[in-house]
Amino acid sequence: MSEIKQVGGRAVVVRGHDIDTDRIVPARYLKEITFSRMGEYPFIDERYDADGNTVEHPFNEARFQGAELLVVNRNFGCGSSREHAPQALYRWGIRAIIGESFGPIFAGSSVLLGMPTVMASPEDVGRLMTLVESDPQVELTVDLDARKVRLPDGSDIDIDISEGHRNALTTGSWDSTALLLGNMDEVAQTSEKLPYTKNFEGPAPL
Amino acid sequence: MSERTLYDKVWDAHAVTTLPTGQTQLFIGLHLVHEVTTPQAFDMMRERGLSIAYPQRTFATADHIIPTDTQVRPFADDQAEAMMAALERNVRDFDIEFYGLGSDRQGIVHVIGPQLGLTQPGMTLACGDSHTSTHGAFGTLAFGIGTSQVRDVLATQTLSMDRLNVRRINVNGSLPLGVHAKDVILTIIRTLGVGGGKGFAYEYGGAVLDAMNMDERMTVCNMSIEGGALVGYVNPDGTTFDYLLGRPFAPKGEAFDRAMAYWRSMASDPDARYDDVVDIDGSAIEPTVTWGINPGQAVGVLESLPRPEELQDPKTVEKAYQHMGWEPGAPILGTPIDVAFIGSCTNSRLSDLVAAARVAKGRQVSSDVRALVVPGSVEVKKQAEAAGLDRVFTEAGFQWREAGCSMCLAMNPDKLNGREVCASSSNRNFIGRQGSPGGRTLLMSPAMVAAAALNGKVVDVREYN
């Protein structure tokens, strides 16, 4: 598994607070039993009207095609646990998301895909949004080691990410299964200590 | 050791080790599986040649995609049929106990876990569903997880997790007549915001929670995620133990006594230290209705809709007004509805149906309203029918359905059409949530939904007291 220390590229901006995962991928696409087509669906009900005509949306704009970074506002990815939402963004091409804050399950799923969600102040997010919208060709770099987003003019902004997520990404252990499988003896010991795993037969080891 | 919360105790008892990343590897006592968020996880298991670590700690049911009118196989919807078949194959290949269609244990995953006595205090629980926090009503640390995390739980019975802070939310006093658990949680979310729980586990307590039955506590804990909190819980007490006694998977005889001792020991200490404490006056809570596109956009039924300029964040409400088509300053009372939905993991348990039936009894659904009652499980349906609730509802003009998630999330034939407005006892009023991109959802208690169905518009259920 690769170490993810820096993610660089052009960005796309989706403005608005509390954008929930139903808006990122509507439930009808969750009836597919693989994630393979999710890259076609991000924000689909906001990108097309009922007749299939294109509606104005950043993900439809030619100037944002090929973007690898997504800049969002507060509580992005709130609501439903559907991993289809981060999968859709990842498969569309997004490799890191910069926002004011994120829904907790969305952030947890994103890191397991190797897609960091990093937080910046509302002022800095606003600055990034303005910058990217005025010049979509601008290249940004999310630097997880330095906890900064670097701008081409040499300036940077501070970002926050949970230490656990940051370590998982920078040490290449973001796909956690292998890490967890390394401790199955300890897992058995923990299970053994919990009285409910034996349905409280025998004296509880309190 | 004292001064510890239930969160601290359960976390410490389930911590396997600290991973090199600094995260905790946490043992998961119970894993619940449903058809929608797991097929990819089982495929990943196969691709990686992994076997299930603790199959006896995983239980599966089908709830999201199943039709609630006719459940004859194959389903009319090919995708739903394929998804159901995938689950059936997966539970067989991975040796998982499964309560499918035809089982008297089938139902919404967050209804059957408690009902079967699988959900117990002092336990960790995970499910690929954000409303897993429901199980916190029992003093369980219950995590909604993504599909890759489902894979981790299948393969290792553990998750890699960051520890949360704990916010104690006291709901003091007592609820006025006609005010329900749903109004409590909508008020909490309205007060603290839809992102207010970021980084927190919510511990709900105070006289109002103490007085609630388990169904009501589940309604409160269910919507923790709507407040931005990954988990929410209530400390276990006599009400919890009374509920569990005699349930199929609850300990029996002397083992139940030993279990109670353990469960009591896991409750927060009287001098527990919290990272934050919030007090809410329960006696001031009114029947509450959402008017916008997230569950925090709610008002008391007698209030008028907020004016954007009065709010801290006017831009956030502009989108809501744009979608809903209401005018700032208008009353919510009297808002016409087209559909009434009583059901979902938030409000589909027996006491929810009893509360709604009390309003509906001997009255008629407005002729222009399509009204559905969808019990949360086969067991709830049976109990309701034994109590004659099905007749109360059907005689009033409600459709009486089979158990499932139904119109909460539009993954089955129960959906809104066009710009329909739905009075709904579910948990999310997100744009498009109920199956029509233009559809509009007003969240409220089951009793309020019943009253709205009768009147064809939002009314104050306290008129029926």
Side-chain angles (χ1 to χ4, degrees):
Chain A
M1 209 180 320
S2 59
E3 294 173 359
I4 300 172
K5 294 171 186 283
Q6 295 197 345
V7 186
R10 291 187 293 111
V12 54
V13 173
V14 175
R15 289 179 181 265
H17 297 308
D18 309 314
I19 292 179
D20 58 76
T21 55
D22 275 80
R23 277 169 68 185
I24 302 172
V25 179
R28 61 184 182 277
Y29 299 107
L30 275 54
K31 288 197 283 189
E32 296 181 13
I33 58 175
T34 74
F35 288 134
S36 58
R37 291 182 60 187
M38 289 301 135
E40 301 168 32
Y41 305 139
F43 304 108
I44 191 159
D45 282 348
E46 304 188 357
R47 292 165 59 194
Y48 302 95
D49 67 17
D51 302 319
N53 301 312
T54 303
V55 178
E56 196 179 316
H57 189 280
F59 271 56
N60 284 343
E61 288 185 47
R63 61 192 190 128
F64 289 132
Q65 300 308 306
E68 293 183 82
L69 305 177
L70 171 62
V71 189
V72 297
N73 290 114
R74 189 176 67 216
N75 202 26
F76 183 83
C78 60
S80 162
S81 66
R82 61 191 68 175
E83 188 169 308
H84 308 68
Q87 288 275 359
L89 296 170
Y90 187 89
R91 285 162 192 265
W92 189 84
I94 299 300
R95 290 294 176 268
I97 312 180
I98 306 159
E100 294 171 41
S101 61
F102 297 91
I105 306 175
F106 179 88
S109 289
S110 294
V111 76
L112 265 72
L113 304 184
M115 179 171 70
T117 58
V118 301
M119 292 176 284
S121 71
E123 295 71 29
D124 284 338
V125 167
R127 198 174 131 212
L128 279 184
M129 286 180 158
T130 307
L131 174 69
V132 172
E133 284 172 339
S134 62
D135 179 11
Q137 292 306 314
V138 69
E139 298 258 348
L140 305 174
T141 303
V142 177
D143 184 337
L144 294 176
D145 278 333
R147 294 173 180 272
K148 304 271 189 203
V149 174
R150 300 191 191 287
L151 280 57
D153 66 0
S155 68
D156 55 47
I157 64 167
D158 293 331
I159 54 172
D160 193 14
I161 177 171
S162 104
E163 191 59 24
H165 287 181
R166 192 183 74 104
N167 290 335
L169 291 158
T170 57
T171 62
S173 50
W174 39 270
D175 182 338
S176 41
T177 314
L179 208 55
L180 298 173
L181 276 170
N183 304 316
M184 292 312 285
D185 290 344
E186 292 88 338
V187 172
Q189 287 160 18
T190 304
S191 167
E192 194 63 23
K193 277 190 307 190
L194 292 161
Y196 66 78
T197 58
K198 293 174 287 295
N199 214 18
F200 299 96
E201 297 303 333
L206 292 176
Chain B
M1 224 191 308
S2 66
E3 300 184 346
R4 293 200 301 160
T5 62
L6 178 141
Y7 183 90
D8 297 329
K9 296 180 193 185
V10 177
W11 183 276
D12 293 345
H14 291 76
V16 172
T17 188
T18 303
L19 296 165
T21 58
Q23 291 188 294
T24 301
Q25 182 168 3
L26 199 69
F27 183 77
I28 299 301
L30 178 65
H31 183 203
L32 299 175
V33 160
H34 66 79
E35 72 279 20
V36 174
T37 57
T38 59
Q40 301 87 347
F42 286 108
D43 284 348
M44 290 188 254
M45 294 283 286
R46 288 189 182 93
E47 283 161 20
R48 297 180 188 199
L50 296 169
S51 57
I52 182 166
Y54 290 76
Q56 73 279 15
R57 307 220 67 80
T58 300
F59 292 80
T61 192
D63 52 10
H64 284 63
I65 53 152
I66 58 172
T68 64
D69 44 7
T70 168
Q71 299 190 327
V72 177
R73 302 282 298 275
F75 298 143
D77 177 347
D78 291 342
Q79 279 186 303
E81 180 59 32
M83 180 162 264
M84 192 70 178
L87 179 63
E88 288 164 343
R89 183 176 70 245
N90 290 331
V91 296
R92 202 171 49 237
D93 290 357
F94 289 86
D95 194 21
I96 293 167
E97 181 84 357
F98 174 49
Y99 304 131
L101 288 182
S103 165
D104 57 10
R105 292 179 170 183
Q106 181 265 331
I108 303 177
V109 66
H110 309 310
V111 176
I112 68 163
Q115 181 185 282
L116 291 169
L118 286 167
T119 305
Q120 295 175 12
M123 182 184 258
T124 50
L125 188 157
C127 174
D129 192 284
S130 62
H131 292 113
T132 305
S133 57
T134 310
H135 305 264
F138 291 79
T140 310
L141 288 193
F143 304 99
I145 57 176
T147 297
S148 296
Q149 291 175 305
V150 170
R151 174 197 66 211
D152 282 356
V153 180
L154 289 172
T156 71
Q157 202 61 34
T158 64
L159 285 167
S160 164
M161 301 287 275
D162 281 326
R163 197 169 182 138
L164 298 166
N165 292 322
V166 182
R167 172 181 287 152
R168 167 82 179 188
I169 300 174
N170 293 307
V171 187
N172 304 310
S174 61
L175 297 180
L177 208 59
V179 176
H180 298 271
K182 183 64 155 289
D183 304 308
V184 172
I185 187 61
L186 286 174
T187 299
I188 289 171
I189 298 166
R190 180 188 178 187
T191 306
L192 299 174
V194 290
K198 184 176 115 55
F200 282 103
Y202 278 177
E203 177 180 303
Y204 304 101
V208 167
L209 272 293
D210 291 344
M212 281 184 180
N213 66 30
M214 293 313 297
D215 287 1
E216 294 170 316
R217 292 178 187 179
M218 282 188 259
T219 298
V220 172
C221 290
N222 173 272
M223 291 186 68
S224 299
I225 191 70
E226 265 62 66
L230 179 61
V231 298
Y233 66 88
V234 178
N235 283 302
D237 62 8
T239 304
T240 321
F241 309 148
D242 288 349
Y243 178 99
L244 285 165
L245 185 66
R247 303 260 163 197
F249 287 91
K252 308 274 187 293
E254 286 180 14
F256 192 85
D257 296 332
R258 286 191 290 271
M260 278 201 294
Y262 171 72
W263 295 339
R264 274 203 194 93
S265 77
M266 299 305 274
S268 293
D269 296 320
D271 57 351
R273 286 171 183 268
Y274 297 96
D275 301 289
D276 190 31
V277 179
V278 172
D279 285 280
I280 287 177
D281 178 5
S283 58
I285 298 176
E286 287 199 281
T288 302
V289 181
T290 66
W291 59 269
I293 56 171
N294 73 53
Q297 292 173 331
V299 290
V301 67
L302 300 179
E303 292 176 57
S304 50
L305 305 189
R307 295 177 192 282
E309 62 273 20
E310 292 165 2
L311 299 173
Q312 277 189 336
D313 209 346
K315 274 199 97 80
T316 312
V317 299
E318 273 171 26
K319 176 104 186 157
Y321 278 114
Q322 207 177 60
H323 179 75
M324 299 302 282
W326 321 136
E327 290 299 322
I332 191 81
L333 198 72
T335 303
I337 65 152
D338 307 294
V339 179
F341 170 57
I342 296 171
S344 87
C345 60
T346 314
N347 281 125
S348 64
R349 297 177 184 83
L350 189 65
S351 62
D352 299 316
L353 305 189
V354 168
R358 199 172 288 149
V359 175
K361 190 176 171 93
R363 300 188 170 95
Q364 282 299 311
V365 170
S366 173
S367 59
D368 44 7
V369 171
R370 177 160 61 107
L372 275 73
V373 183
V374 188
S377 68
V378 172
E379 179 68 18
V380 169
K381 182 166 189 266
K382 275 194 207 164
Q383 290 172 352
E385 288 173 354
L389 301 185
D390 57 325
R391 287 196 309 281
V392 171
F393 286 121
T394 51
E395 283 167 17
F398 289 86
Q399 299 173 39
W400 177 247
R401 295 294 191 86
E402 305 293 333
C405 296
S406 183
M407 205 184 271
C408 175
L409 86 168
M411 290 196 65
N412 53 69
D414 303 335
K415 289 177 186 154
L416 296 185
N417 302 311
R419 290 284 285 155
E420 281 181 334
V421 176
C422 180
S424 181
S425 74
S426 56
N427 41 55
R428 290 191 171 133
N429 51 346
F430 297 156
I431 293 172
R433 172 75 180 182
Q434 292 190 289
S436 169
R440 294 170 284 178
T441 304
L442 307 178
L443 302 175
M444 58 189 84
S445 74
M448 281 285 285
V449 175
L454 301 177
N455 291 277
K457 60 186 181 186
V458 175
V459 297
D460 186 346
V461 74
R462 290 172 295 193
E463 291 168 18
Y464 290 85
N465 285 347

